[in-house]
Amino acid sequence: MKKMKLKSVLASLFMCLSATAADRPNILFILTDDQTIYDLKAYDEKSPLQSPVLDKLAAEGMVIDGAYHMGANKGAVCTPSRHMIMSGRSVWRIPTGVKSLMGNASAEEKEQVCPSDLENNTIAAVFNRAGYDTMRTCKKGNSYSAANKQFTICHDVTKRGGTDESGSAWHAERVLDYLNDREQSTEKKPFLIYYGFSHPHDPREGKSELLANYGAFNHRDKTTPPALNPKMPALPVNYLDAHPFEHGHIGCRDEINAAGVWRNRDVATIRNENGRELACSENIDIQIGRVLDKLEAMGELDNTYIIYTADHGIAIGRHGLQGKQNLYEHSLRVPMIVKGPGIPAGSRAQGNVYLMDVLSTLCDMAGIPAPDTNEGISFKPVLEGKKDTVRDSLYGVYCGGTKPGIRSVRKGDWKLIQYDGIGGTVQETQLFNLAENPHELLKEHHAAELVKAIGNTPSKNQVNLADDPAYAAKLKEMEELLLTEMRKHDDPYRMWNQPDEALVNRETVIADYKKSLETQKNKSKTKGKKGAKK
């Protein structure tokens, strides 16, 4: 009798849990690879991108103006960014951060900073336990493989080609396969689909018919710039042919070896490369449309939250840079458009969110508790119009080149960037008022020849204000805030003008840099001797 009663209780509990799961919303999380916000009309109304699906998504949902990826402690910026998305943890408290920060630490010390079984509390694992179907398609590599494996269905293959089979359509087909199977199934658990693309990451091999929309082609000649085409996108407003100073990562792959650009920063190369970017982005828009059409036909679109974002931004000629290994807005900010139940149509918010807030927000949307390991903040109140931001200040880091690297902090309209690298020989400070100078223009952007080429005449205050005595108090305030944020986020380094309290000694950093130079010098000598013998 007791056994029968226990079975009855368990059955009732199971039915209750099943009903709860069935009532929960679906989630479609869409992630692009290396996409600047300025591709999208939601952020730049002058963008030539043909993106009717994303334009409609923005009109029917909310655009977040202040979404950021926090930064990276390695050159492959994708990797820490995707770790933060999956785990809801900050840049120095994820597996890649622990490796960088605590290489010689004990297992116990590492465990205190980042749990060794963190993958069991990442997006798919959390939603699997909550009764969701979890499905993923995305690029392979430069990611969080242990977390990716938690998805019940996982198709991780890099597709950056210019055909349907080799490009973005491949990822769409995997999602459509899943939805077709779901349509035939009698069991209807809520789903979480991680719909990732391998584009518009270089080499940006666009489809020929889409490239034609932007006057671009898949350029493969390092020595000769592409021919200019009037349909090519205009130069970015903050274009430069070189960064004003060494930004700290000599030899960075993205800056010297991205196919189609390499070291070239001439007008034709940059315009063509931005055209290629837009062609890849248009294809992404098309492939998202196919999936949304399918969801609508299945009657599942209205109960689905759609989150569209990127793992980080990209420069492509802005400030004379090509990659994402910097902390300017074009690379640190990410697009974020969200549509779903309770989100006011056509709304905008500043947000001040990080990508690490995605996990807690998805949990909040689904009505399930976020894991204890999560450090992010749910921005669901922002999406519902109850708040404009979830935090007052935003910290940024790039520490993938010479150390300590680059740091930034933003509060309100003000942003500070500091550079400390190349063995202590580069020590630069930038201060911007983003309300007056949203593109972080520098004095170099005021040159008459460049003004003519770009077609933009900067105002007097659209410069770096760090050396202007009128802003000395603001500079001091922002420098103090940067130190506070670095301490808060367990940053192991300190900049040249900060207290000597870092986990990594500054003299050691400089000595390591000099040692690396000597190693490179010896390798060059050895290579030269071998060449001479031949």
Side-chain angles (χ1 to χ4, degrees):
M1 192 73 175
K2 288 182 178 180
K3 285 184 178 180
M4 288 179 66
K5 189 174 182 180
L6 178 59
K7 285 182 180 179
S8 177
V9 170
L10 291 174
S12 298
L13 180 60
F14 177 78
M15 288 176 66
C16 179
L17 289 172
S18 298
T20 302
D23 291 339
R24 286 176 175 154
N26 301 315
I27 292 171
L28 176 62
F29 179 72
I30 305 171
L31 186 73
T32 60
D33 194 1
D34 284 23
Q35 186 174 53
T36 175
I37 58 171
Y38 303 112
D39 279 1
L40 309 181
K41 285 186 176 67
Y43 294 95
D44 179 4
E45 61 184 15
K46 294 181 180 178
S47 171
L49 178 65
Q50 298 179 33
S51 53
V53 175
L54 290 174
D55 296 345
K56 183 181 178 186
L57 193 68
E60 295 177 345
M62 174 177 281
V63 175
I64 303 290
D65 285 310
Y68 291 79
H69 76 92
M70 190 178 277
N73 41 41
K74 58 189 301 181
V77 178
C78 304
T79 304
S81 174
R82 290 162 188 262
H83 276 69
M84 287 184 274
I85 290 171
M86 286 292 194
S87 67
R89 292 177 69 82
S90 54
V91 67
W92 296 107
R93 296 176 68 82
I94 52 178
T96 58
V98 170
K99 184 177 180 181
S100 173
L101 172 62
M102 307 181 71
N104 298 319
S106 68
E108 288 183 356
E109 289 172 326
K110 290 180 180 179
E111 189 74 19
Q112 290 178 356
V113 175
C114 180
S116 57
D117 63 344
L118 181 60
E119 65 269 19
N120 295 322
N121 285 304
T122 52
I123 287 176
V126 171
F127 276 79
N128 286 338
R129 290 195 292 268
Y132 272 71
D133 270 343
T134 58
M135 180 271 169
R136 167 188 167 90
T137 183
C138 202
K139 73 171 183 180
K140 188 175 181 66
N142 284 348
S143 191
Y144 189 179
S145 59
N148 302 346
K149 292 174 183 175
Q150 304 301 315
F151 286 86
T152 305
I153 301 170
C154 185
H155 302 284
D156 277 3
V157 181
T158 300
K159 294 286 182 177
R160 293 184 180 136
T163 66
D164 285 344
E165 176 56 30
S166 65
S168 293
W170 189 93
H171 293 298
E173 289 295 334
R174 303 292 74 75
V175 178
L176 292 171
D177 287 345
Y178 167 78
L179 292 176
N180 286 328
D181 290 343
R182 177 181 176 84
E183 196 171 26
Q184 301 303 316
S185 174
T186 55
E187 185 181 4
K188 291 291 192 292
K189 292 181 179 180
F191 63 71
L192 185 149
I193 298 173
Y194 187 112
Y195 185 12
F197 290 94
S198 310
H199 269 144
H201 190 292
D202 70 84
R204 304 184 184 96
E205 296 287 318
K207 296 182 73 172
S208 57
E209 63 269 30
L210 299 181
L211 286 166
N213 292 337
Y214 308 99
F217 67 98
N218 292 324
H219 183 55
R220 295 184 174 89
D221 185 353
K222 280 187 180 183
T223 58
T224 306
L228 275 171
N229 185 314
K231 292 178 70 176
M232 286 177 175
L235 284 172
V237 70
N238 46 10
Y239 162 79
L240 291 174
D241 60 7
H243 196 257
F245 54 86
E246 170 53 57
H247 75 302
H249 196 164
I250 296 172
C252 173
R253 176 258 178 211
D254 284 17
E255 295 298 333
I256 66 172
N257 205 29
V261 185
W262 302 283
R263 296 176 186 268
N264 304 327
R265 298 295 183 272
D266 59 275
V267 170
T269 294
I270 295 304
R271 288 184 63 186
N272 183 65
E273 197 64 16
N274 274 291
R276 296 175 75 194
E277 165 96 358
L278 293 176
C280 292
S281 293
E282 182 176 347
N283 196 18
I284 287 171
D285 188 81
I286 292 167
Q287 304 311 323
I288 292 172
R290 295 175 66 202
V291 168
L292 297 187
D293 286 347
K294 180 63 179 179
L295 286 172
E296 186 171 30
M298 293 169 65
E300 298 212 54
L301 190 58
D302 289 344
N303 191 39
T304 299
Y305 282 104
I306 304 164
I307 302 95
Y308 177 91
T309 190
D311 54 359
H312 44 70
I314 194 77
I316 316 183
R318 297 170 178 89
H319 291 99
L321 301 171
Q322 171 59 23
K324 56 266 186 179
Q325 294 81 5
N326 65 84
L327 300 184
Y328 291 112
E329 294 287 283
H330 51 67
S331 297
L332 194 58
R333 278 176 73 189
V334 295
M336 186 170 283
I337 304 172
V338 189
K339 175 191 171 184
I343 300 175
S347 55
R348 298 187 83 100
Q350 175 61 28
N352 285 355
V353 306
Y354 292 122
L355 285 177
M356 76 168 188
D357 298 329
V358 164
L359 174 56
S360 55
T361 305
L362 297 183
C363 288
D364 203 358
M365 288 172 169
I368 61 179
D372 292 340
T373 52
N374 169 70
E375 297 178 329
I377 302 171
S378 170
F379 54 87
K380 187 181 177 186
V382 171
L383 298 175
E384 294 174 336
K386 297 174 182 177
K387 297 176 69 174
D388 187 54
T389 61
V390 295
R391 52 176 63 82
D392 293 330
S393 54
L394 292 151
Y395 157 83
V397 52
Y398 179 68
C399 193
T402 54
K403 318 300 181 189
I406 316 173
R407 299 296 185 277
S408 72
V409 67
R410 175 178 179 175
K411 184 174 183 180
D413 294 334
W414 289 93
K415 180 178 176 184
L416 175 79
I417 309 178
Q418 289 197 316
Y419 303 76
D420 189 356
I422 320 295
T425 61
V426 172
Q427 297 175 351
E428 299 281 346
T429 298
Q430 294 172 326
L431 180 67
F432 300 107
N433 183 319
L434 295 177
E436 294 183 356
N437 190 6
H439 295 285
E440 297 159 299
L441 300 181
L442 307 169
K443 65 179 183 181
E444 287 77 9
H445 290 105
H446 292 245
E449 199 172 299
L450 195 59
V451 167
K452 184 178 179 181
I454 295 174
N456 177 68
T457 303
S459 64
K460 181 182 177 183
N461 273 357
Q462 288 185 321
V463 291
N464 171 19
L465 301 171
D467 295 327
D468 189 332
Y471 299 97
K474 178 57 69 174
L475 175 63
K476 184 174 185 293
E477 175 192 331
M478 295 301 288
E479 286 178 338
E480 290 173 352
L481 179 60
L482 175 61
L483 179 59
T484 298
E485 289 291 315
M486 290 173 70
R487 287 169 173 164
K488 175 181 173 181
H489 289 95
D490 297 326
D491 194 319
Y493 297 93
R494 292 293 178 267
M495 310 302 272
W496 79 93
N497 59 347
Q498 293 178 334
D500 185 15
E501 58 184 19
L503 295 177
V504 181
N505 181 271
R506 185 170 181 80
E507 291 180 5
T508 302
V509 169
I510 294 173
D512 287 345
Y513 173 72
K514 290 179 178 178
K515 185 178 178 180
S516 70
L517 285 183
E518 192 64 31
T519 301
Q520 291 172 20
K521 185 178 178 182
N522 291 335
K523 283 183 179 178
S524 296
K525 284 182 179 179
T526 303
K527 189 176 180 180
K529 287 178 181 178
K530 287 181 179 178
K533 287 180 181 179
K534 289 180 181 178

